[in-house]
Amino acid sequence: MKDEKPTLDHFFAQVYAVVRLVPPGRVTSYGAIAKYIGSARSSRMVGWAMNGSHAVKPKVPAHRVVNRNGLLTGKHHFATEHDMQRLLEKENVIVKDDQVVEFKRLFWDPSTELL
DNA sequence: CGATTGACGTACG
DNA sequence: TCGTACGCCAATC
């Protein structure tokens, strides 16, 4: 085995892996992913990773990733702002005022669910 | 090369 | 409870 250097590439890879494992109708947060990986304070890097998610195959359901408030902060990075909300609603996720309804109930924590 | 920004979150007062 | 400060690290100006 090799030394497991916590490189950013590895960080990105784990982010993509976790997001891909998010089941439909569920959402997760940047901090939850970051924390699951081990860098709870690197939540910004998670967001930056999502920025390149569109260039990763298979595609990453970035629309299932929202901020800690359940707010669709990243909707502006999609094709259109309504795309993210529409994708969520398509998965039975209710979005009101750019905010995920029952976010607490739909929250999917890798450290809890995926464990 | 230095300063600012960014799909966030936690800590502190 | 709310507002401000800091950390994180890369990309951009």
Side-chain angles (χ1 to χ4, degrees), chain A residues 1-5:
Chain A
M1 293 297 285
K2 304 294 293 301
D3 55 310
E4 298 178 8
K5 287 193 297 189

Side-chain angles (χ1 to χ4, degrees), chain A residues 95-113:
Chain A
V95 179
K96 179 109 182 169
D97 190 29
D98 300 333
Q99 182 183 295
V100 177
V101 180
E102 298 290 286
F103 169 70
K104 188 175 181 182
R105 185 172 69 85
L106 298 173
F107 181 59
W108 184 85
D109 188 342
S111 177
T112 300
E113 311 289 331

